[in-house]
Amino acid sequence: MKQDNRLRNDCFAMPRGVSWTPVDKAIEQLKRGLSNIKGTEVVSTTDGMGRILASSVCALSSNPPYTNSAVDGYGFCGPTKTQVSKLKVIPGVAAAGAPFVGKIPKGSALRILTGAVLPEGVDTVLLEEDIDQIDNFSITFEVFLNTGANTRKSGEDVLKGEQIFAKGHKLRPQDLALLVATGNLTLNVFCHLKVGIFSTGNELLDAHTTSFEQLEFSRIFDSNRPMLLSLIANWGFEVFDFGIINDDVNATRDSLNKASKSVDAIITSGGASAGDEDYVSRLIKSEGQLENWRIAIKPGRPLALGLWKGIPIFGLPGNPVAALVCSLIFVKPSLGLLAGCNWIKPQSYLVPSGFDKEKKIGRREYLRARLLADGDAEIFPSEGSGRISSLSWSTGLLELMDNEDKISKGDMVKYIPYSSF
Amino acid sequence: MKQDNRLRNDCFAMPRGVSWTPVDKAIEQLKRGLSNIKGTEVVSTTDGMGRILASSVCALSSNPPYTNSAVDGYGFCGPTKTQVSKLKVIPGVAAAGAPFVGKIPKGSALRILTGAVLPEGVDTVLLEEDIDQIDNFSITFEVFLNTGANTRKSGEDVLKGEQIFAKGHKLRPQDLALLVATGNLTLNVFCHLKVGIFSTGNELLDAHTTSFEQLEFSRIFDSNRPMLLSLIANWGFEVFDFGIINDDVNATRDSLNKASKSVDAIITSGGASAGDEDYVSRLIKSEGQLENWRIAIKPGRPLALGLWKGIPIFGLPGNPVAALVCSLIFVKPSLGLLAGCNWIKPQSYLVPSGFDKEKKIGRREYLRARLLADGDAEIFPSEGSGRISSLSWSTGLLELMDNEDKISKGDMVKYIPYSSF
């Protein structure tokens, strides 16, 4: 199914008069401005990993679909009331996938294996290990068993017709198990969100097509693009590599036109601030829609958000540290909204600070951090946003809130592991 | 490069006389018995996401490779000593990728943009916003600047020759950025670990090839395989689907033979305990090597570990809840060792318990849990391991240690989010 869910031209417009936008206000604006832009398709549940449900899902069959034995043992009609019970053994066996045909009379028992449907006349199972005496004709045991012992009732997990997932849920491995177990073998999901990625800057060399020997003085390898391509693919979106665009208006326009025809969203890095060479910003401003957000965030700050022929553009800072932080905090949940999810807030954990730090009030700070063996959070010694090594050193971010001004050793701080994003 | 790193026949052998193996002992045995079995290959760093480094990596160039401007502004020779400074402006501009050729004399300044190499004679940069007066010939400003202000020194992040990653590290998006930024455009990584997955049981129907209408009484859809295939693929291993194997010795032998020729490890579910229909266990025991581990774990317990023609086999319980828990706790880090990683312990967090619970001492328990808005952990109302819905309901596991017997509301408990695995 194809939908025409276009974004409004002013979807990234901040209220006037705001100079430094607090992170929460920026997030509110993104939540307000963005919504699902994808159509839907039907896929096999076995191919459903990472897909986003386009409608809620109900159980087509109960789980378990029929009452069955939870153990290997002997099935009979319970409960047992006396201290020592003796049951006549009926020849045969009920196995998973091979049900016993016939009725088990009261006072008799049948060999039954794990997962087997309870035969007619059986509602209780004696665990093999609880048998005292056994021969070809009878079993004797001493345990007291309630009716239904060692069985799994039909629907005890999920009843047919019950809702198991809401629209917008992103499927995990265990969700596939539940879908299959409730008879949902095909799914209505949103089509994959296609994300185009390019870097801008005359100084950049492509790491895939250049050799180390070609690194000239004054140039650097483009490190943002391999990071963003793998990051965004890992989030479950379909990525398209539009390479490096030189600081040239025509080349940038051509690339934006090309990308806007084939993808649903565009991520650029570099060229997003208001500097002389920021062609991308200038071009989108003059020929598309552009909002330069100055966010009260460290690292990060400038974020250029725009539309080019109706396609949303996220202009990240050129700096890899700021590019990663802005991607995690703003871009990931925004792409999620476009793809059909709800806004997903990353799970954070309170951990003791292993350091002292003073901080400017009114600004959100994300410190690159990792947890020590005792659970305390340690931060990277330098906050410089050119420190790419800090991203590899760390396992997550500490989120210091706008109103905080001082963190002392032992204070509880909010840690967001990278795996939460 | 191909390696012949075979596992020892007794790699899964538990010390004699142990009846219920504590989880930590089981993990120790896996650490002792398993090691990397893969050869190595060279890949482009841009294709390196999720790959495991087969050797340590050092910086081939410093990051940054040359001292450059951190801002848009004017470069000159610092520091400034007087309160008001006036510098003569030299015509021209130094931009990223377009260095200025020529020397800037003392007392003069040159327009310089972010990322540009500092021209000869320049060691300090004045931020554009700090200029008081500017005309075609001079700039005047009042800030006091130390030598080096607003510049990024060559090597301030990483020095050429420094080790940046150890052997066995699994690459994340940000690691690709650091590798590229330090000139490492190709990598020596371990070849992909190939994992074959099959389910066993006559009652199972294939969810991919069967329709809901074909669900007969006494049969169920195989929910473990779609879960395990997507789970293990998501861990970064290459998965191979060997389908459902009926409870038949010859079919099982054929499948094991076929799988052992094409994969590095085999995961089965169902048929792993000692029941009448557990053909897999019986077959591997008689024709390969098999150890039935009875682990003091809930849910889980029986884990069949073996070798078939030298290929390790992990026999999981048939129950999806136990299959998932055993996969996360034992199989994931074991496959990591085979693939060339170190044993990776999942990151856990201490969170307040939102419930009261009594527990059997001497057994490790993993409760399906999620965190409430206030941070308290909530557990699924039923502990039954047939409750597949509990896996979808939960966002992680609470790990209750062997020696714990009672959890009271408010006690700190160990929460392991699924995303930690």
Side-chain angles (χ1 to χ4, degrees):
Chain A
M1 204 181 87
K2 253 202 128 190
Q3 276 178 276
D4 189 31
N5 303 330
R6 297 233 134 201
L7 300 176
R8 287 165 54 107
N9 276 349
D10 63 351
C11 65
F12 294 125
M14 274 285 170
R16 297 291 146 208
V18 173
S19 60
W20 286 99
T21 306
V23 169
D24 289 340
K25 272 217 156 51
I27 287 176
E28 280 314 311
Q29 178 58 40
L30 290 169
K31 282 188 189 176
R32 243 196 324 267
L34 300 177
S35 54
N36 167 44
I37 54 169
K38 294 300 297 184
T40 65
E41 62 179 331
V42 173
V43 297
S44 169
T45 301
T46 54
D47 298 326
M49 175 64 185
R51 300 305 295 264
I52 300 162
L53 292 174
S55 43
S56 64
V57 179
C58 294
L60 297 181
S61 59
S62 293
N63 180 47
Y66 40 81
T67 301
N68 64 87
S69 181
V71 297
D72 288 353
Y74 283 81
F76 63 99
C77 180
T80 56
K81 297 230 172 73
T82 51
Q83 232 184 343
V84 179
S85 304
K86 185 167 178 169
L87 296 170
K88 191 181 156 208
V89 172
I90 303 282
V93 60
F100 178 84
V101 183
K103 188 179 168 177
I104 308 302
K106 190 109 188 152
S108 294
L110 178 81
R111 177 98 183 110
I112 190 165
L113 303 179
T114 306
V117 182
L118 300 191
E120 205 183 332
V122 169
D123 58 16
T124 305
V125 178
L126 170 75
L127 193 67
E128 198 157 61
E129 289 92 307
D130 289 336
I131 296 170
D132 282 324
Q133 280 196 315
I134 183 164
D135 56 39
N136 284 339
F137 311 103
S138 66
I139 48 172
T140 311
F141 58 97
E142 270 189 55
V143 286
F144 189 87
L145 291 171
N146 285 320
T147 303
N150 296 316
T151 66
R152 296 184 283 228
K153 312 271 172 315
S154 167
E156 72 174 20
D157 184 28
V158 180
L159 280 171
K160 182 175 167 174
E162 234 181 273
Q163 180 177 314
I164 52 170
F165 292 107
K167 178 181 168 178
H169 178 73
K170 192 176 166 187
L171 296 172
R172 301 168 297 162
Q174 62 264 45
D175 300 334
L176 303 190
L178 181 59
L179 286 162
V180 163
T182 54
N184 288 286
L185 306 187
T186 58
L187 298 172
N188 186 30
V189 298
F190 288 112
C191 297
H192 277 297
L193 188 79
K194 295 175 182 176
V195 182
I197 296 162
F198 61 83
S199 297
T200 60
N202 287 333
E203 76 278 26
L204 299 180
L205 289 171
D206 189 297
H208 191 66
T209 56
T210 322
S211 72
F212 180 64
E213 291 65 36
Q214 290 172 272
L215 177 60
E216 306 157 42
F217 180 69
S218 90
R219 305 195 73 180
I220 55 172
F221 290 113
D222 175 18
S223 52
N224 275 343
R225 210 158 29 92
M227 175 176 78
L228 293 172
L229 282 165
S230 57
L231 184 73
I232 294 171
N234 205 36
W235 294 340
F237 305 116
E238 206 175 329
V239 292
F240 293 79
D241 185 359
F242 287 99
I244 296 164
I245 296 168
N246 280 345
D247 294 333
D248 172 273
V249 173
N250 292 325
T252 307
R253 186 189 298 109
D254 287 350
S255 283
L256 287 173
N257 284 341
K258 193 179 153 203
S260 66
K261 281 187 197 123
S262 51
V263 299
D264 302 304
I266 298 170
I267 316 281
T268 72
S269 70
S273 59
D276 292 15
E277 299 280 326
D278 292 332
Y279 290 103
V280 182
S281 257
R282 283 199 286 157
L283 176 69
I284 303 173
K285 193 162 246 155
S286 66
E287 301 179 22
Q289 283 80 37
L290 188 86
E291 300 285 335
N292 278 301
W293 287 11
R294 295 206 307 165
I295 305 176
I297 184 175
K298 185 184 171 192
R301 273 189 258 192
L303 198 63
L305 295 158
L307 290 172
W308 185 269
K309 301 191 188 295
I311 302 295
I313 301 181
F314 298 83
L316 297 170
N319 197 300
V321 174
L324 183 69
V325 169
C326 287
S327 295
L328 298 175
I329 304 298
F330 302 113
V331 178
K332 194 203 169 193
S334 294
L335 294 179
L337 284 186
L338 297 174
C341 286
N342 297 318
W343 184 276
I344 297 167
K345 202 180 158 193
Q347 180 68 53
S348 60
Y349 304 93
L350 287 176
V351 297
S353 158
F355 57 91
D356 295 307
K357 185 187 148 62
E358 297 201 349
K359 167 186 167 293
K360 210 165 133 181
I361 280 196
R363 183 165 79 180
R364 183 79 50 97
E365 292 195 13
Y366 292 95
L367 306 177
R368 286 137 273 163
R370 62 186 185 187
L371 302 185
L372 297 167
D374 62 3
D376 283 11
E378 177 189 21
I379 52 173
F380 193 72
S382 160
E383 293 183 18
S385 73
R387 301 297 178 105
I388 307 182
S389 67
S390 68
L391 299 177
S392 287
W393 175 92
S394 58
T395 54
L397 299 172
L398 286 186
E399 186 179 49
L400 307 185
M401 301 310 281
D402 310 19
N403 59 354
E404 286 182 280
D405 64 343
K406 197 170 180 290
I407 314 294
S408 303
K409 220 174 150 145
D411 286 354
M412 296 308 270
V413 284
K414 257 172 94 174
Y415 172 71
I416 314 176
Y418 290 131
S419 58
S420 272
F421 291 101
Chain B
M1 202 181 88
K2 254 203 125 189
Q3 275 178 277
D4 190 32
N5 303 330
R6 297 233 135 200
L7 300 176
R8 287 166 54 107
N9 276 350
D10 63 352
C11 64
F12 294 124
M14 276 284 169
R16 295 294 145 206
V18 174
S19 61
W20 287 98
T21 307
V23 169
D24 289 340
K25 272 220 153 56
I27 288 175
E28 278 316 311
Q29 179 57 38
L30 291 169
K31 283 187 189 175
R32 241 195 326 267
L34 300 177
S35 53
N36 168 44
I37 54 168
K38 295 301 296 183
T40 65
E41 61 180 332
V42 173
V43 297
S44 169
T45 300
T46 54
D47 299 325
M49 175 63 186
R51 300 304 298 262
I52 300 162
L53 291 174
S55 43
S56 64
V57 178
C58 295
L60 297 179
S61 60
S62 293
N63 180 46
Y66 41 80
T67 301
N68 64 87
S69 180
V71 297
D72 287 354
Y74 284 81
F76 64 99
C77 179
T80 56
K81 297 232 168 72
T82 53
Q83 238 189 332
V84 178
S85 304
K86 186 168 178 168
L87 296 170
K88 191 182 157 208
V89 172
I90 301 282
V93 60
F100 179 84
V101 183
K103 189 180 169 174
I104 308 303
K106 191 111 188 151
S108 293
L110 178 81
R111 176 99 184 106
I112 190 166
L113 303 179
T114 307
V117 183
L118 299 191
E120 204 183 332
V122 170
D123 57 16
T124 305
V125 178
L126 170 73
L127 192 66
E128 198 156 61
E129 290 92 307
D130 289 336
I131 297 170
D132 283 324
Q133 282 196 313
I134 183 163
D135 58 36
N136 283 337
F137 310 105
S138 67
I139 49 172
T140 312
F141 58 97
E142 270 189 54
V143 287
F144 188 88
L145 291 170
N146 286 320
T147 303
N150 296 316
T151 67
R152 295 185 283 228
K153 312 269 172 316
S154 167
E156 73 174 19
D157 183 29
V158 179
L159 280 171
K160 183 176 166 172
E162 234 180 272
Q163 180 176 316
I164 51 171
F165 292 108
K167 178 180 167 179
H169 178 73
K170 191 176 166 187
L171 296 171
R172 301 167 297 162
Q174 63 263 47
D175 300 334
L176 303 189
L178 181 60
L179 286 162
V180 163
T182 55
N184 287 286
L185 306 187
T186 58
L187 298 172
N188 186 29
V189 298
F190 288 113
C191 298
H192 278 297
L193 188 78
K194 296 175 182 174
V195 182
I197 296 162
F198 61 84
S199 297
T200 60
N202 287 334
E203 76 278 26
L204 299 181
L205 288 171
D206 189 298
H208 191 66
T209 56
T210 320
S211 72
F212 179 63
E213 291 65 35
Q214 290 173 272
L215 178 58
E216 304 157 45
F217 180 69
S218 91
R219 305 195 73 179
I220 54 172
F221 291 113
D222 176 19
S223 52
N224 275 342
R225 208 156 32 92
M227 174 177 79
L228 293 172
L229 283 165
S230 58
L231 183 75
I232 295 171
N234 205 37
W235 293 340
F237 304 117
E238 207 175 329
V239 292
F240 294 78
D241 185 359
F242 287 100
I244 297 164
I245 296 168
N246 281 343
D247 294 333
D248 172 274
V249 173
N250 291 325
T252 308
R253 185 190 297 109
D254 287 351
S255 284
L256 287 172
N257 284 341
K258 192 178 154 204
S260 66
K261 281 187 196 120
S262 50
V263 299
D264 303 305
I266 297 170
I267 316 281
T268 73
S269 70
S273 60
D276 291 15
E277 298 282 323
D278 292 332
Y279 289 104
V280 182
S281 257
R282 282 199 286 157
L283 176 68
I284 303 172
K285 193 161 245 158
S286 66
E287 300 180 22
Q289 283 79 39
L290 188 85
E291 300 285 335
N292 278 302
W293 287 13
R294 294 205 310 163
I295 306 176
I297 184 177
K298 184 185 171 192
R301 273 189 258 193
L303 198 64
L305 295 157
L307 290 172
W308 186 270
K309 300 190 189 296
I311 301 295
I313 300 181
F314 298 84
L316 297 171
N319 197 300
V321 174
L324 183 69
V325 169
C326 286
S327 294
L328 298 175
I329 303 298
F330 302 114
V331 178
K332 195 203 169 193
S334 294
L335 294 179
L337 283 184
L338 297 174
C341 287
N342 296 320
W343 184 275
I344 297 168
K345 204 181 157 192
Q347 181 68 53
S348 60
Y349 304 93
L350 287 176
V351 297
S353 157
F355 57 92
D356 294 307
K357 187 189 145 62
E358 296 202 349
K359 170 187 165 290
K360 209 166 134 181
I361 281 197
R363 181 164 80 180
R364 183 80 50 98
E365 292 195 14
Y366 292 94
L367 306 177
R368 285 137 275 163
R370 63 186 184 187
L371 302 185
L372 297 166
D374 63 2
D376 283 11
E378 178 190 20
I379 53 173
F380 193 73
S382 160
E383 293 184 17
S385 72
R387 303 294 178 107
I388 307 182
S389 67
S390 68
L391 299 176
S392 287
W393 175 93
S394 58
T395 55
L397 300 172
L398 285 186
E399 187 179 50
L400 306 186
M401 301 308 282
D402 310 19
N403 59 355
E404 287 181 280
D405 64 342
K406 198 170 179 289
I407 313 294
S408 303
K409 219 173 151 144
D411 286 355
M412 296 306 271
V413 284
K414 256 172 97 174
Y415 172 71
I416 314 176
Y418 290 132
S419 59
S420 271
F421 290 101

